[in-house]
Amino acid sequence: MQPRRIIKHWSISAGRYRLLEISRPYEFLLLRLSAIAAIAEDPSSNGVRFSISDLSPPNSRSMPTIYQDRSGISLYDAQNSSEAKTPIPTAIIEDLLAALLRFKRTCQDFGVPDSNIRVVATEATRNAINRDDLLNQIEQRTKWKVQLLAKEEEGRLGAMGIASSIDHIEGICMDMGGGSVQLTWVIKKPNGEVDMGPSVSFPYGAAALMSELSKLGSQEHDDLQGGIAIKLQTALEKDLQIPSSLLEAAKRGDGFDIYLSGGGFRGWGFLLMSREKNQPYPIPIVNGYSVSSSTFFSNLSEPPTNIASHRISSRREYQIPAVQLLIRALAQSQMDVSSVTFAQGGVREGLLYDGLPSSIRAQSSLVAATLPYAPPSAAALISLLRDGTPDCIDHELLTSTVNMLYVHGPVPKDIRASAALRSTTTGILASANGLSHRDRALLALVLCERWGVGIPNADIEFLFNITRICGPSMSWWAKYIGRVAQGIANLYPAGVIRGEDKKVALEAMFPPAKRLGWDKGSEALGSQTERCQVKMTILSSEVEVAGLVNEWAIDLTKLGKKKRSNKGLSGLPVYVEVTRGKTT
């Protein structure tokens, strides 16, 4: 009998905690990856990866990994250690079987039912000379049947993995593995459906390219790059069958948005993070990191220095010339590129994401990650926060703010703001899937301000660098949202608003959205003639409520007065009017 799993979860509709018994146990996924692992989870590391993911609600969209491990068995290297391809040696197969059996015991310890265990293999296994013998031995020893992914399915699942890692996708996806690189176009719809084109595969993975480069001279390197560029251009113009809507969107902008996955590309993402002017770069997570095309295609000729400081393994360091060559070929292919975003997701995440209903896939990653912490009256609190903020502010940000409003309450008072500031990078939301760096930075600033206390000197540089990701205008609005949220939390310390216990009503007027400095392309804040006007109407006869509201009004007004003293932090004057309405 499988052990029951009980979780304590807020029921927003019931306004109380409920104990939930999860009938669907841990959804488990095993990725058995070799050189092909390059295509699935961590392409350039060519290892065998194991993981267990919990898809029970409310965590389904986030797909949290509760266990992961890696065995450094490379089936790609085992077959390509000499000039002629060889069968996978018996010793390597025995090592693989031992790792699988060890993982089987781990699955039993976690209570994973056999029906939820999948063993998948991709290119290195698919192309092995002794493939059938390998698959038979795995099934005999483990009782697990290996799912051998076709090249096209591998490409589709890799693209689904990228889609799981980024909320809004409309562009070209590339997954660089150890043996090959996959391309396809992807459009992620608001309803959770994912449209994509045919997957095109080229034998230009990191390990394969390094093997080829080692045999060639410098002139032949240029010839190889030119040949890859021609193939990429042909794929773009013909093989990918890019829909007219995506082509027109690229023409309206500065080109295609590109989404990259695979260990080689992610290593390059870490290098670009280390080259940011904003140092030390405050978000140590490559997923959701975006750069312009000019940044992405810069410094491609010279090998990077001081690799150890970039958190890149020696294996990835060795493969950097292959990654640089592929990126140069992409630039040479005349593909117009607007932006480049790095994704953590691959085949493993794609398998999980592909099995979720579209209603779950449609959820905001930010909201889904914070939903388990939502207070009882979350809906009413969100409505109140919305009344005090501009309409252009993302609903997902306001919802997540309310969901996290009380999380750091148990933390000692002196470090609540610091804990909240770090929550999206190394704290409680560090493992949240699908968040952009902008999402992480904004929510961190809002939650830090929500607690209304200073931060220790050790965190001042981190705060400054997080602010630089958002820019002056958006950072000011984050502080504004945080102070409005703080006032709401002070009035409702338990996160409960009863029907007869409405203590305050908010009305607010703001300048036109295009002059708020929030959306991309909008004007910066700081006009001499514009201001925020907030009206707070006290609906309670309690003296203490009036005192809290008055303190809240003073605090918001002070924020507006600080616009020129916060080291260039743009802002608007804030005028607050406190009135009394019909009391309860």
Side-chain angles (χ1 to χ4, degrees):
M1 172 182 281
Q2 296 294 337
R4 296 189 308 162
R5 181 166 183 253
I6 307 294
I7 65 171
K8 189 179 182 183
H9 169 59
W10 272 117
S11 169
I12 295 177
S13 59
R16 60 184 175 83
Y17 276 118
R18 290 189 303 166
L19 291 179
L20 299 181
E21 179 178 347
I22 303 304
S23 58
R24 183 180 183 183
Y26 291 117
E27 174 75 10
F28 155 80
L29 175 64
L30 159 68
L31 267 190
R32 188 180 58 79
L33 305 170
S34 49
I36 61 172
I39 298 174
E41 168 113 34
D42 192 351
S44 58
S45 67
N46 298 302
V48 184
R49 292 188 175 265
F50 310 94
S51 67
I52 299 174
S53 298
D54 181 4
L55 298 187
S56 57
N59 298 315
S60 304
R61 171 62 186 90
S62 298
M63 305 185 306
T65 300
I66 61 172
Y67 171 82
Q68 58 184 334
D69 192 18
R70 174 185 176 274
S71 175
I73 301 170
S74 173
L75 298 189
Y76 182 90
D77 288 349
Q79 299 172 77
N80 296 277
S81 57
S82 60
E83 291 189 7
K85 186 173 182 178
T86 61
I88 301 172
T90 300
I92 297 296
I93 294 177
E94 286 298 321
D95 289 343
L96 176 61
L97 291 171
L100 289 168
L101 290 170
R102 182 169 61 252
F103 185 58
K104 185 168 187 175
R105 292 191 294 272
T106 300
C107 290
Q108 293 169 347
D109 292 342
F110 273 96
V112 182
D114 289 341
S115 60
N116 281 1
I117 298 175
R118 283 172 285 181
V119 184
V120 300
T122 50
E123 185 180 356
T125 303
R126 188 171 60 230
N127 297 333
I129 296 173
N130 54 340
R131 178 189 69 186
D132 293 341
D133 177 56
L134 171 65
L135 299 181
N136 287 335
Q137 288 197 55
I138 291 174
E139 186 171 4
Q140 290 175 7
R141 296 277 292 276
T142 68
K143 310 305 179 185
W144 288 340
K145 191 173 183 62
V146 178
Q147 180 184 357
L148 198 61
L149 298 178
K151 183 183 298 185
E152 296 76 14
E153 179 68 357
E154 181 182 328
R156 187 187 75 84
L157 290 174
M160 287 295 285
I162 295 176
S164 77
S165 301
I166 302 170
D167 267 355
H168 307 289
I169 290 186
E170 187 174 350
I172 308 298
C173 290
M174 297 182 67
D175 188 348
M176 187 180 192
S180 64
V181 62
Q182 312 268 344
L183 286 82
T184 189
W185 61 264
V186 175
I187 298 176
K188 190 173 178 180
K189 298 179 178 179
N191 64 359
E193 296 294 333
V194 180
D195 289 344
M196 66 179 67
S199 177
V200 179
S201 178
F202 298 114
Y204 303 131
L209 270 180
M210 284 306 301
S211 176
E212 188 70 17
L213 288 173
S214 65
K215 305 172 187 175
L216 304 176
S218 57
Q219 180 58 48
E220 293 171 309
H221 286 192
D222 294 339
D223 294 340
L224 176 61
Q225 177 183 314
I228 295 174
I230 292 172
K231 291 184 179 181
L232 291 175
Q233 187 172 359
T234 301
L236 182 68
E237 295 174 351
K238 180 181 177 181
D239 301 335
L240 290 179
Q241 302 175 25
I242 300 174
S244 57
S245 61
L246 196 54
L247 291 171
E248 291 168 2
K251 290 179 181 178
R252 288 195 302 269
D254 299 322
F256 292 101
D257 293 320
I258 307 295
Y259 306 91
L260 303 180
S261 184
F265 280 143
R266 286 195 293 271
W268 192 252
F270 280 116
L271 280 173
L272 293 178
M273 288 163 61
S274 72
R275 292 172 177 170
E276 289 275 355
K277 294 179 180 179
N278 187 11
Q279 291 296 328
Y281 191 75
I283 300 178
I285 302 163
V286 75
N287 188 78
Y289 174 62
S290 296
V291 296
S292 66
S293 60
S294 59
T295 299
F296 180 68
F297 290 119
S298 63
N299 299 315
L300 291 174
S301 299
E302 298 298 325
T305 58
N306 196 20
I307 292 294
S309 65
H310 305 326
R311 292 180 293 137
I312 296 176
S313 67
S314 58
R315 185 183 185 91
R316 286 181 182 171
E317 179 184 0
Y318 170 74
Q319 294 173 341
I320 282 176
V323 178
Q324 288 178 311
L325 185 141
L326 184 61
I327 296 174
R328 289 198 300 269
L330 181 62
Q332 189 177 336
S333 71
Q334 300 180 1
M335 178 189 292
D336 292 326
V337 176
S338 174
S339 68
V340 177
T341 301
F342 295 87
Q344 185 70 36
V347 171
R348 185 191 81 88
E349 290 81 5
L351 279 163
L352 291 173
Y353 192 67
D354 191 44
L356 296 176
S358 58
S359 59
I360 298 296
R361 295 203 300 255
Q363 293 177 357
S364 158
S365 295
L366 192 61
V367 173
T370 58
L371 182 60
Y373 313 105
S377 298
L381 293 168
I382 293 167
S383 178
L384 187 55
L385 182 59
R386 168 56 73 192
D387 290 342
T389 53
D391 291 339
C392 64
I393 302 295
D394 305 339
H395 180 72
E396 292 83 0
L397 177 62
L398 299 184
T399 300
S400 301
T401 297
V402 169
N403 287 347
M404 297 291 291
L405 204 54
Y406 305 94
V407 167
H408 297 97
V411 176
K413 181 179 179 180
D414 292 340
I415 59 170
R416 285 173 186 163
S418 290
L421 179 66
R422 301 269 185 176
S423 63
T424 62
T425 51
T426 55
I428 196 169
L429 296 177
S431 63
N433 182 43
L435 307 190
S436 69
H437 282 207
R438 173 184 177 273
D439 291 337
R440 293 183 187 275
L442 276 174
L443 186 58
L445 290 176
V446 171
L447 296 178
C448 177
E449 191 70 20
R450 171 263 181 270
W451 288 105
V453 294
I455 60 172
N457 291 337
D459 288 323
I460 289 177
E461 183 181 39
F462 181 83
L463 173 61
F464 178 71
N465 289 337
I466 281 284
T467 299
R468 292 186 66 184
I469 290 178
C470 300
S473 296
M474 295 186 77
S475 296
W476 187 86
W477 281 115
K479 291 171 71 70
Y480 176 86
I481 296 167
R483 294 203 184 188
V484 176
Q486 180 191 20
I488 292 172
N490 288 340
L491 288 172
Y492 302 100
V496 176
I497 300 180
R498 298 182 180 87
E500 71 284 358
D501 190 31
K502 293 181 179 178
K503 299 175 181 177
V504 69
L506 298 180
E507 294 179 61
M509 295 180 60
F510 303 95
K514 67 178 182 179
R515 295 203 292 273
L516 291 181
W518 182 260
D519 295 317
K520 183 179 180 182
S522 63
E523 300 172 14
L525 288 173
S527 170
Q528 293 280 353
T529 60
E530 293 177 320
R531 63 185 185 180
C532 305
Q533 293 179 283
V534 181
K535 181 179 180 180
M536 299 180 177
T537 303
I538 300 173
L539 302 178
S540 173
S541 59
E542 297 178 22
V543 175
E544 183 181 357
V545 169
L548 289 172
V549 172
N550 284 319
E551 289 177 7
W552 186 12
I554 293 171
D555 200 37
L556 277 178
T557 303
K558 287 180 179 179
L559 176 64
K561 292 180 178 178
K562 288 184 176 181
K563 67 171 187 172
R564 286 183 172 79
S565 62
N566 276 339
K567 296 183 180 180
L569 185 65
S570 298
L572 292 172
V574 180
Y575 292 86
V576 183
E577 176 189 1
V578 179
T579 64
R580 282 194 173 273
K582 185 177 179 181
T583 59
T584 58

